[in-house]
Amino acid sequence: MSSTDEFMEKGEIESTKENEKEKTDGEKDEGAEEKKEECTSCKTDQEDLGFTVKVAAPGVEPFDIQVSSMELVQEIHQLLMDREDTCHRTCFSLQLDGITLDNFAELKTVEGLKEGSLIKVVEEPYTMREARIHTRHVRDLLKSIDLCDSYNGVDCASLCFLNTVCAGDIMEKKRSRPESVDCTPPEFILPGAKDVPLLPLHPATREQPAKLNCLKVVTPSGWNPPPGYRKLHGDLLYLQVITAEEKHYHITASTRGFFVNHCTEEEFNPKAASPSYLSHSLIELLNQVSPMFKRNFSLLQKRRTGRHPYERVPTPYQMYSWIGPQLDHNIDTIRAEDAFSSKLGYEEHIPGQTRDWNEELQTTRELPRKNLPERLLRERAIFKVHSDFVSAATRGAMAVIDGNVMAINPGEEAKMQMFIWNNIFFSLGFDVKDHYKDLGGDAAAFVAPRNDLQGVKVYNAVDLEGLFTLGTVVLDYRGYRVTAQSIIPGILEREQEQSVVYGSIDFGKTVVTHAKYLDLLQKAGNQLKILPHKVVNDKQEDVELCSSVECKGIIGNDGRHYILDLLRTFPPDVNFLKIEGMELSKEAQALGFPIEHKHKLSCLRQELIDAFVESRYMMFIKYAAVQLQQLGLKKQMEPVKQIEVKKEKEEGSEKESEMEEDEAKRIVESMTDSITSGEKKEVEDSTKQIVKKAALAVGSLKETEFDIRFNPDVFSPGVIHPKDNSNFKKECQLVQDAADFLITVQIPAFIRDCLDHSTAPMDGATLADAIHNRGINMRYLGKITEMLGKVPQLEYVYVIAVSEVVMRSAKHLFTLFLQGMDMLSLSCSISHFLNCLLSSCPTPSCTVPDQIHKKRSRNRSKKATTKTSPLTPTDSVEWANLTPKTLWAQIKAEAKSYFDWNLSIDGIDAFVDLINLNKMTLLRSFCQKTGVQIMLREYQFDNEKVQSFSEEDIVNMYPIVKHINPRATDAYNFYTTGQSKIQQGFLKDGYELISEALNLLNNVYGAMHPEIAQCLRMLARLNYIMGDHMEAMSCQQKAVLMSERVNGIDHPYTITEYTHLALYCFANTQVSTALKLLYRARYLALLVTGENHPELALIDSNIGLILHAVGEYDISLRFLEKALQLNLTYHGPKSLKVAVSYHLVARTQSCMGDFRSALTNEKETFTIYKTQLGEEHEKTKESGECLRHLTQQAVVLQKKMNDIYQGKTKTGLPPIQIQPPSMGSVLDMLNIINGILFVQISQQDIENFKKEYEMRQKDGPAKKAEIEGELGTKSLKMDPEEKSCSPEESSPSPAIESS
């Protein structure tokens, strides 16, 4: 990571610290309270001592910088290398009163450094290393505003278009002059527009001139390295430069700096030219020799420093763009050098050799974690090393597949080869040595790494001291699955058989165990619900394990206890296993289970296990409580409502209220107390009986208490279980029950989530997240899709699910299609596959590269060779024979065999008609799943004569990377506590906790992370509710920038962030910016999901309202009518959201003078309010008022018309005077639509609110009453998914006061 970036992070962290308010201690949760104190104490020395120092650099006026006593001197270095006027220096020292400061000292240890001290920048002589760092820094500055890194997916750069969309930084726009607003939306986002264009996805800045070319070329010269006699003159390296004016210079980097020498391409003459332009920095030299460089470089600097820090900070993991322009490829020898050296860019800055990843990963885990500062340090180290490891593993895996790394077993066939690069071990996802023969061969070998990663994830989350897992990253690249792992010390020297001291290397024939491992794994197993159990090995001995048999324990040469091969951490999913003599439940059979999967490694997810155990525990408690009550124990206990224990089948377990659960728990606790206090013997016996019955009822493994854990080996082929295990039947039954629970409780629960809009997935990725959160595996997608198809209200989720089934099936086929593909034909074969998948052209043709043809004709005569490995390129051009018909037939078969879902059609056009989706959306989904980057241009999909894609359209392929995400645990606890405070209505406390969480997140993750974006969105919303609109806009702007960078510019979260920002911009009177943001959000939503989605109803209501406010009634009406139609579809005709929609449409129609339609719509609003809220509710009354007003208007108008017809008045119709609504009333309406409800707040805050409101609008009193009265009970809706539209709807609309 280049040094400049590290400073950026620091800067961001500082700026968030400044926002910290004084901490007032109200009533807070104990835990958070104590943490908070810890935290404040650990930060006091840091925050009390922020001070200012002066810096004097050569050739620049002295300037002030803000520092904090905790910073290192190094960080001032970084700051200077990033500042516009000092960025050209890299080789300097900092001096205070003539004493050079130590780079790695903290500022508070520097003697005599205080407020106002003067630090001098002193140029130092160069060394070879410093000279190289300097040229690299100059190269980085020259390409700092270029997007090519973001498109190529290198150096953790990623795209970000917010400031382009807003035409500048919204925080810098002056508030004084109201902008002249051009509000017309672009054609393609109007409701009902046909095709979504692709080019606006990456908007170009208007005022940005052509690329700034400062130089043609700067490269190390061919005369390097300097010969011995020149080294003795201080030459370090030679550079060659071609300026923009086409002049050629050879430059020497010497210890004193850079100068021009007499060399040419043919002749070596290292003497200094005259003038030599000797300068300490290369940039100063170039400024002298090339006027164009001087001009363009300063422009470039202005543009670079003008960008928001969040546009420049590197992201923790690389993001890839699925679509990009064809970039110019310029000469860049530093890039070339990096590509061919096996080093990683940042290793030059690390003394010593390549990094020992395993040692780093494990040492960070061993750091102490007793108090908050220690935990922060530890989590920060874990996160940093992990993200470095992921980027190294990604580079290595791509190098392996691109054929750039030599195998460690080069004699074996290609798919069995293993590789080591940069201290990381790589293996391919094929079944080596028939290891997985009984489990499904290559199909099993393909999913094993992913299951193993899930195991690594949960053991890391348990975070048990003394138990270590390997750093693991799973990548899919060009059709191959690569597993990258850190290397256990000493494992390469020994045979695997000798190293394994626990577990089995042959799936359960030979099994060994180890006391220390049993102890460690049992501790972890208690949290993961894994049951210690015995299995029988080939010597007929019982061996005790506390994991599945193939989990291996290896003690490394470093003495650490490692576990690996965690692919069966969780119990098997019996719905996808055909097992002799096992009957599944009626429900499962009705759904067509068991389905035979391609492999036998299907496991349940951790989320499911947790939900299942939780639900059984509630059953146990309730059962016991009911029994106890019947016994009539403890007369003083107040009678509780009888709780029936419903069988889980009725999904009742979730609906029972909290109250009853607490009640039940209390009864059970009192009973256990009575046992311990040793009351009468009979009481004791009867309670024991009750517990026994309850335990039996929930299938507990022990009779005397609640104990539900799983034996992961129950259905594993090849594992023999001891005969005398009396509980074995129960263990099997539990695994079946869990699989049943998934079908009968979790899937219906997911569908219920969609129905009550607590989740509203927008694309395949968000759908997968929602399904996974319920503990459901994606292989159930077919079943879920079938169920969704039966709920008309969830049509939009159904469409996403269907396209996901089809695209995932296509991805499976594409993976096989790519294996063994010759590099020559990659781009033509991929474009051919895309044509078959998406183009309407029935017979796409493809050009096969010549080299293959030539070879083919020669090889015809030879006998067909035996099947070679899938990695060696084949000469076959079989791929060229693929047609749309065959491809769709294969997709149909794959959807049936993998998802058990019947695809009724056999071509893309029929498919698109069936689910009413845009082909762009499918293309996006496919490219994101497979790692194909396509050209940014408009595609013709529907022309049957022309094929949509040519080989030029395939720009790049990038890897799909799966890895664990280390968490910031303390920050997470602060965040959740803050959320619950807010739910209870303590805004101030909540705000503080969440600001503190943001601080901790910055501490652990640096400046960029998806969780930080979420935290910023929350803070923005809180600021908004507390009336600080500027601060809200500032936080939300950061949230949008960050979401674009870390989630992607077209990720559903980014769309949500855009809509929130639009609201805050409007509140800050930036009307046209608000519209631009909403137009962008609507465009992205159309691209990602199409027009039928509840999210679009929200965006459209917002657009319609704002257009109404600026008097664009016609367009406004189109958006509002669309929103009304969508709300009717997804919320049903009785919903209050629909009432608001009707009301908005009526307002706009009345402004257009169409009173009759307005009346009809307002009547609908009135009816809904009346039925839902009753006659007396103030909403109903307001709506009644509206109706009266409208009727009166209509009557007046009619009367005037009649007069004209009867010739009583000669003049024409008087113009209808329409008074546009006040901004305040529009803002209130916007708040309502966006589900921002004001909660009951302290008296002081209400005073502030009153002032706010009185300034903004006339109807203050009504609003006050609303804040103080009816809203007290409402909790604040924070989650962007829960756009609530509850009774506290709109104020009487001033828009209707016309004529």
Side-chain angles (χ1 to χ4, degrees):
M1 182 197 243
S2 75
S3 38
T4 47
D5 303 330
E6 284 189 0
F7 182 75
M8 297 303 323
E9 283 188 21
K10 185 72 189 158
E12 283 312 319
I13 296 170
E14 292 308 316
S15 67
T16 32
K17 281 180 194 151
E18 285 159 23
N19 299 342
E20 284 269 291
K21 306 286 179 289
E22 295 311 299
K23 299 184 168 48
T24 58
D25 295 332
E27 351 104 66
K28 297 193 182 68
D29 295 34
E30 299 298 303
E33 181 59 7
E34 153 197 329
K35 272 196 208 136
K36 182 130 188 180
E37 256 150 36
E38 234 176 74
C39 186
T40 335
S41 66
C42 86
K43 280 172 36 200
T44 39
D45 47 351
Q46 181 173 343
E47 251 158 71
D48 300 349
L49 305 175
F51 55 96
T52 315
V53 292
K54 265 199 171 0
V55 174
V60 190
E61 288 289 299
F63 51 87
D64 289 342
I65 56 169
Q66 231 0 97
V67 290
S68 106
S69 54
M70 296 289 283
E71 287 177 20
L72 301 180
V73 176
Q74 173 91 11
E75 292 172 31
I76 301 183
H77 262 262
Q78 320 295 34
L79 176 87
L80 295 176
M81 283 166 62
D82 195 59
R83 266 184 75 102
E84 192 174 336
D85 44 9
T86 54
C87 67
H88 53 278
R89 306 181 178 284
T90 59
C91 185
F92 58 87
S93 62
L94 298 171
Q95 294 188 357
L96 179 66
D97 307 328
I99 299 163
T100 303
L101 306 182
D102 167 16
N103 255 343
F104 295 99
E106 290 191 352
L107 293 185
K108 61 174 182 219
T109 61
V110 176
E111 280 195 22
L113 183 64
K114 54 183 191 295
E115 176 77 33
S117 296
L118 178 70
I119 294 183
K120 286 209 172 93
V121 174
V122 180
E123 299 177 341
E124 292 288 327
Y126 281 97
T127 59
M128 177 80 187
R129 177 170 171 274
E130 284 290 350
R132 287 177 54 200
I133 286 178
H134 186 76
T135 40
R136 181 176 285 265
H137 179 66
V138 169
R139 189 276 310 243
D140 288 343
L141 288 174
L142 291 178
K143 70 177 190 101
S144 58
I145 57 168
D146 203 356
L147 289 180
C148 63
D149 282 355
S150 309
Y151 284 119
N152 291 332
V154 289
D155 290 347
C156 288
S158 60
L159 298 166
C160 163
F161 291 115
L162 173 68
N163 288 343
T164 315
V165 171
C166 300
D169 186 335
I170 49 171
M171 296 313 292
E172 289 164 11
K173 298 204 170 160
K174 296 288 164 281
R175 300 207 50 172
S176 50
R177 51 174 189 82
E179 323 160 67
S180 57
V181 266
D182 169 31
C183 303
T184 10
E187 280 298 307
F188 55 84
I189 67 152
L190 288 173
K194 279 306 285 168
D195 284 330
V196 188
L198 259 182
L199 289 173
L201 181 57
H202 294 193
T205 29
R206 291 207 189 83
E207 59 277 4
Q208 186 156 336
K211 278 179 65 170
L212 286 173
N213 281 332
C214 301
L215 280 179
K216 288 269 168 59
V217 181
V218 51
T219 111
S221 129
W223 295 118
N224 280 321
Y229 70 93
R230 285 306 304 172
K231 277 189 185 164
L232 305 179
H233 281 91
D235 290 6
L236 300 170
L237 55 99
Y238 303 123
L239 300 171
Q240 187 176 354
V241 169
I242 306 177
T243 64
E245 295 91 346
E246 284 292 346
K247 291 217 178 98
H248 291 237
Y249 292 96
H250 283 253
I251 293 173
T252 302
S254 76
T255 49
R256 292 177 308 155
F258 294 80
F259 62 84
V260 177
N261 63 32
H262 272 304
C263 294
T264 63
E265 258 100 284
E266 294 83 42
E267 186 192 357
F268 180 63
N269 179 355
K271 300 256 185 308
S274 64
S276 69
Y277 300 112
L278 173 67
S279 321
H280 189 263
S281 104
L282 182 55
I283 291 193
E284 289 169 351
L285 181 144
L286 293 168
N287 275 338
Q288 293 175 56
V289 297
S290 160
M292 269 173 79
F293 178 87
K294 186 170 186 175
R295 198 186 74 227
N296 286 350
F297 185 73
S298 72
L299 281 173
L300 180 101
Q301 285 304 77
K302 286 215 167 27
R303 216 183 281 170
R304 179 179 71 89
T305 48
R307 291 168 62 195
H308 194 281
Y310 282 4
E311 298 180 74
R312 312 187 277 168
V313 182
T315 58
Y317 305 111
Q318 183 64 55
M319 290 288 303
Y320 299 97
S321 168
W322 60 274
I323 185 166
Q326 187 74 61
L327 298 161
D328 307 336
H329 195 59
N330 5 27
I331 291 189
D332 179 349
T333 36
I334 295 179
R335 181 190 62 215
E337 191 184 320
D338 286 353
F340 289 113
S341 66
S342 64
K343 281 200 171 134
L344 291 163
Y346 39 77
E347 281 178 352
E348 312 206 329
H349 308 298
I350 296 176
Q353 271 314 290
T354 50
R355 298 172 69 167
D356 179 345
W357 292 110
N358 191 67
E359 189 53 33
E360 288 192 38
L361 287 161
Q362 313 310 350
T363 318
T364 50
R365 292 226 160 254
E366 289 169 329
L367 290 171
R369 42 174 152 175
K370 291 196 235 1
N371 52 20
L372 189 79
E374 284 186 353
R375 281 196 301 271
L376 286 177
L377 239 150
R378 175 173 182 265
E379 286 177 347
R380 181 178 191 166
I382 289 176
F383 182 74
K384 186 81 189 83
V385 172
H386 177 257
S387 67
D388 286 354
F389 176 68
V390 172
S391 76
T394 308
R395 256 192 86 170
M398 290 168 74
V400 163
I401 297 298
D402 291 338
N404 206 357
V405 181
M406 178 160 167
I408 49 178
N409 50 346
E412 314 223 8
E413 64 163 318
K415 71 171 178 177
M416 296 172 65
Q417 289 180 352
M418 293 170 259
F419 305 83
I420 289 181
W421 179 87
N422 193 16
N423 281 333
I424 304 174
F425 173 78
F426 297 93
S427 53
L428 299 164
F430 294 111
D431 185 7
V432 182
K433 302 184 181 146
D434 286 344
H435 192 67
Y436 293 105
K437 197 169 103 202
D438 306 340
L439 298 166
D442 278 350
F446 192 80
V447 298
R450 194 194 59 207
N451 283 5
D452 180 33
L453 184 65
Q454 287 287 348
V456 171
K457 177 177 144 188
V458 296
Y459 276 106
N460 266 335
V462 170
D463 213 357
L464 189 67
E465 271 178 56
L467 187 62
F468 296 93
T469 56
L470 302 184
T472 309
V473 178
V474 179
L475 298 103
D476 292 304
Y477 177 57
R478 283 186 32 204
Y480 300 104
R481 174 156 284 183
V482 186
T483 311
Q485 288 169 314
S486 61
I487 301 170
I488 298 180
I491 187 152
L492 298 169
E493 290 99 79
R494 330 171 251 190
E495 276 297 305
Q496 201 180 9
E497 284 76 25
Q498 304 157 7
S499 350
V500 174
V501 295
Y502 169 91
S504 157
I505 54 169
D506 48 16
F507 287 101
K509 295 187 192 58
T510 50
V511 190
V512 285
T513 187
H514 185 282
K516 177 75 175 142
Y517 270 106
L518 274 179
D519 172 47
L520 287 169
L521 286 169
Q522 189 156 356
K523 284 182 190 152
N526 285 339
Q527 289 188 47
L528 300 176
K529 310 286 182 275
I530 300 171
L531 179 74
H533 57 279
K534 292 192 168 68
V535 298
V536 180
N537 66 10
D538 51 3
K539 303 190 186 115
Q540 300 306 309
E541 303 159 331
D542 286 8
V543 182
E544 181 167 8
L545 295 176
C546 187
S547 63
S548 65
V549 284
E550 66 281 294
C551 166
K552 306 175 200 14
I554 296 180
I555 300 178
N557 285 358
D558 52 3
R560 293 189 179 103
H561 290 76
Y562 293 92
I563 49 170
L564 55 155
D565 286 348
L566 308 172
L567 51 143
R568 285 233 186 114
T569 305
F570 294 114
D573 180 352
V574 293
N575 292 335
F576 284 86
L577 287 174
K578 284 221 162 88
I579 295 164
E580 291 291 297
M582 187 183 73
E583 274 280 292
L584 289 180
S585 67
K586 300 268 188 305
E587 290 86 352
Q589 289 179 355
L591 282 170
F593 292 111
I595 295 167
E596 201 160 357
H597 216 36
K598 292 180 180 168
H599 56 82
K600 297 197 170 119
L601 291 179
S602 308
C603 296
L604 299 169
R605 293 181 64 88
Q606 186 195 9
E607 298 95 332
L608 181 86
I609 301 298
D610 293 347
F612 176 71
V613 173
E614 175 67 14
S615 129
R616 282 288 162 107
Y617 183 60
M618 280 332 301
M619 248 169 95
F620 172 78
I621 294 269
K622 285 175 183 168
Y623 189 92
V626 170
Q627 296 292 324
L628 275 178
Q629 266 184 305
Q630 288 171 347
L631 259 180
L633 266 185
K634 291 222 166 179
K635 299 286 179 284
Q636 70 269 38
M637 224 159 55
E638 75 280 314
V640 189
K641 300 190 296 301
Q642 173 84 11
I643 303 168
E644 312 147 26
V645 175
K646 297 189 179 172
K647 270 282 156 282
E648 296 202 310
K649 300 289 171 266
E650 298 178 28
E651 305 171 8
S653 51
E654 295 198 12
K655 295 243 174 93
E656 244 108 273
S657 68
E658 282 291 299
M659 171 62 188
E660 292 178 348
E661 295 181 356
D662 299 343
E663 203 77 64
K665 280 187 185 148
R666 203 166 63 241
I667 297 176
V668 177
E669 277 159 19
S670 64
M671 128 195 136
T672 41
D673 292 349
S674 74
I675 297 181
T676 44
S677 62
E679 283 184 21
K680 303 187 203 67
K681 186 93 181 76
E682 60 201 297
V683 173
E684 219 170 295
D685 289 350
S686 51
T687 45
K688 274 189 185 147
Q689 280 301 308
I690 287 174
V691 172
K692 194 169 170 179
K693 276 188 189 158
L696 200 70
V698 296
S700 164
L701 297 174
K702 296 200 186 119
E703 291 192 344
T704 49
E705 54 176 314
F706 176 81
D707 175 27
I708 285 195
R709 284 176 295 170
F710 296 91
N711 172 348
D713 283 328
V714 279
F715 296 116
S716 304
V719 177
I720 306 161
H721 300 276
K723 298 277 180 291
D724 55 357
N725 180 355
S726 52
N727 261 354
F728 188 64
K729 260 215 156 79
K730 271 189 186 169
E731 291 168 17
C732 293
Q733 191 51 48
L734 270 180
V735 171
Q736 277 175 263
D737 289 351
D740 250 10
F741 178 75
L742 191 153
I743 316 174
T744 53
V745 179
Q746 293 304 85
I747 293 183
F750 164 72
I751 290 178
R752 226 176 19 251
D753 285 344
C754 294
L755 274 172
D756 61 23
H757 297 279
S758 56
T759 79
M762 282 188 82
D763 64 352
T766 39
L767 175 74
D769 288 346
I771 289 180
H772 284 158
N773 285 341
R774 280 284 179 190
I776 306 165
N777 309 71
M778 283 315 272
R779 55 176 172 272
Y780 286 93
L781 188 59
K783 296 290 167 222
I784 295 177
T785 308
E786 265 170 48
M787 295 181 193
L788 287 167
K790 300 180 184 129
V791 191
Q793 233 173 307
L794 292 182
E795 180 221 13
Y796 75 98
V797 192
Y798 173 71
V799 168
I800 296 172
V802 172
S803 53
E804 191 66 358
V805 168
V806 171
M807 285 300 139
R808 278 176 181 251
S809 306
K811 176 187 75 173
H812 299 165
L813 298 168
F814 186 66
T815 301
L816 293 169
F817 175 80
L818 282 179
Q819 287 177 6
M821 185 69 70
D822 193 338
M823 291 281 278
L824 280 176
S825 39
L826 269 175
S827 58
C828 23
S829 56
I830 294 171
S831 61
H832 182 62
F833 189 94
L834 282 172
N835 278 327
C836 295
L837 182 67
L838 294 171
S839 168
S840 304
C841 172
T843 51
S845 60
C846 51
T847 48
V848 177
D850 311 339
Q851 291 93 321
I852 297 185
H853 272 316
K854 288 188 193 127
K855 268 199 224 156
R856 265 181 91 208
S857 49
R858 265 213 319 275
N859 294 356
R860 280 281 165 75
S861 56
K862 294 182 191 161
K863 295 274 191 301
T865 46
T866 51
K867 179 167 187 331
T868 51
S869 106
L871 266 186
T872 46
T874 51
D875 282 349
S876 100
V877 225
E878 223 157 272
W879 57 266
N881 304 334
L882 190 71
T883 65
K885 206 170 167 146
T886 51
L887 177 61
W888 279 86
Q890 289 172 337
I891 289 179
K892 216 166 163 169
E894 178 68 14
K896 179 68 185 153
S897 75
Y898 195 97
F899 296 106
D900 192 34
W901 192 73
N902 298 310
L903 181 61
S904 50
I905 43 82
D906 41 18
I908 177 68
D909 293 317
F911 179 63
V912 174
D913 294 343
L914 169 81
I915 58 170
N916 184 15
L917 247 196
N918 198 314
K919 286 188 186 176
M920 280 318 319
T921 306
L922 295 172
L923 176 66
R924 169 182 180 269
S925 161
F926 181 79
C927 291
Q928 285 181 331
K929 284 180 180 42
T930 52
V932 172
Q933 187 182 48
I934 57 159
M935 170 86 94
L936 178 63
R937 69 173 183 87
E938 300 304 347
Y939 289 93
Q940 283 268 314
F941 284 117
D942 305 329
N943 188 337
E944 297 198 359
K945 309 280 180 294
V946 189
Q947 43 192 33
S948 313
F949 301 93
S950 71
E951 51 188 281
E952 269 65 59
D953 292 325
I954 309 302
V955 180
N956 205 343
M957 285 206 79
Y958 54 84
I960 305 291
V961 188
K962 300 184 176 68
H963 53 81
I964 61 172
N965 286 305
R967 295 295 300 275
T969 44
D970 291 286
Y972 179 74
N973 296 336
F974 271 88
Y975 187 80
T976 44
T977 319
Q979 265 183 316
S980 61
K981 284 284 176 211
I982 291 164
Q983 296 295 344
Q984 297 157 20
F986 302 116
L987 282 192
K988 199 103 176 114
D989 298 351
Y991 182 77
E992 266 170 29
L993 284 163
I994 286 177
S995 306
E996 190 50 61
L998 179 65
N999 240 338
L1000 302 185
L1001 286 170
N1002 275 325
N1003 243 316
V1004 173
Y1005 294 141
M1008 280 270 147
H1009 194 274
E1011 287 174 27
I1012 302 181
Q1014 195 184 341
C1015 197
L1016 282 165
R1017 171 209 299 172
M1018 184 75 148
L1019 278 174
R1021 197 134 193 188
L1022 281 170
N1023 274 313
Y1024 183 71
I1025 284 160
M1026 287 158 52
D1028 187 347
H1029 295 171
M1030 273 318 268
E1031 188 54 31
M1033 186 161 84
S1034 157
C1035 281
Q1036 188 59 28
Q1037 178 199 30
K1038 288 182 188 158
V1040 177
L1041 288 167
M1042 197 173 300
S1043 181
E1044 289 196 302
R1045 294 282 321 273
V1046 297
N1047 295 324
I1049 52 169
D1050 54 357
H1051 191 284
Y1053 291 170
T1054 307
I1055 301 178
T1056 307
E1057 305 296 6
Y1058 264 107
T1059 34
H1060 285 211
L1061 183 57
L1063 172 66
Y1064 309 150
C1065 280
F1066 185 84
N1068 282 306
T1069 66
Q1070 296 195 14
V1071 181
S1072 70
T1073 308
L1075 279 168
K1076 283 178 193 153
L1077 292 165
L1078 285 168
Y1079 293 159
R1080 172 80 175 162
R1082 187 170 213 272
Y1083 165 71
L1084 292 174
L1086 289 176
L1087 185 70
V1088 170
T1089 180
E1091 205 163 39
N1092 296 318
H1093 193 282
E1095 184 77 9
L1096 269 115
L1098 178 80
I1099 297 175
D1100 287 355
S1101 304
N1102 278 316
I1103 296 179
L1105 246 172
I1106 295 179
L1107 285 174
H1108 177 123
V1110 294
E1112 296 275 353
Y1113 301 123
D1114 295 344
I1115 318 179
S1116 161
L1117 193 60
R1118 288 177 66 176
F1119 283 104
L1120 291 173
E1121 283 175 334
K1122 182 70 191 172
L1124 172 62
Q1125 173 216 320
L1126 292 172
N1127 277 332
L1128 278 168
T1129 316
Y1130 300 122
H1131 294 276
K1134 292 201 180 62
S1135 143
L1136 295 168
K1137 282 202 163 170
V1138 174
V1140 181
S1141 264
Y1142 274 124
H1143 174 63
L1144 292 177
V1145 171
R1147 270 173 64 161
T1148 308
Q1149 286 169 333
S1150 75
C1151 285
M1152 296 165 74
D1154 179 356
F1155 295 113
R1156 187 162 297 154
S1157 318
L1159 262 172
T1160 330
N1161 287 318
E1162 190 57 53
K1163 274 188 188 128
E1164 295 284 350
T1165 305
F1166 182 71
T1167 323
I1168 297 176
Y1169 282 152
K1170 194 166 135 189
T1171 49
Q1172 299 292 68
L1173 309 173
E1175 294 267 352
E1176 286 312 300
H1177 195 281
E1178 81 184 67
K1179 291 284 148 224
T1180 324
K1181 290 182 179 159
E1182 279 171 15
S1183 184
E1185 272 298 303
C1186 254
L1187 278 175
R1188 270 198 295 290
H1189 187 84
L1190 279 171
T1191 323
Q1192 185 185 337
Q1193 289 293 330
V1195 170
V1196 171
L1197 186 69
Q1198 195 58 48
K1199 193 158 172 261
K1200 288 197 175 138
M1201 305 260 285
N1202 295 345
D1203 286 354
I1204 292 174
Y1205 285 136
Q1206 293 157 17
K1208 290 186 184 162
T1209 51
K1210 290 287 175 280
T1211 53
L1213 262 177
I1216 302 176
Q1217 291 139 7
I1218 298 169
Q1219 179 194 352
S1222 73
M1223 282 301 164
S1225 74
V1226 175
L1227 193 58
D1228 291 340
M1229 231 26 237
L1230 282 170
N1231 289 340
I1232 286 156
I1233 295 173
N1234 291 294
I1236 292 197
L1237 318 174
F1238 295 101
V1239 257
Q1240 207 157 22
I1241 311 174
S1242 73
Q1243 206 41 50
Q1244 179 50 49
D1245 285 347
I1246 290 186
E1247 292 308 318
N1248 303 347
F1249 269 118
K1250 281 183 191 158
K1251 287 193 195 102
E1252 230 349 268
Y1253 274 99
E1254 272 144 26
M1255 275 156 42
R1256 266 203 321 206
Q1257 63 196 92
K1258 317 294 178 296
D1259 51 351
K1263 200 66 190 177
K1264 262 180 264 174
E1266 202 168 294
I1267 295 174
E1268 290 160 3
E1270 105 179 69
L1271 291 189
T1273 52
K1274 276 288 159 214
S1275 73
L1276 171 62
K1277 292 284 197 289
M1278 292 310 299
D1279 192 311
E1281 275 22 272
E1282 322 177 321
K1283 308 288 179 358
S1284 101
C1285 262
S1286 340
E1288 50 306 288
E1289 285 316 352
S1290 61
S1291 51
S1293 153
I1296 303 178
E1297 306 153 2
S1298 39
S1299 70

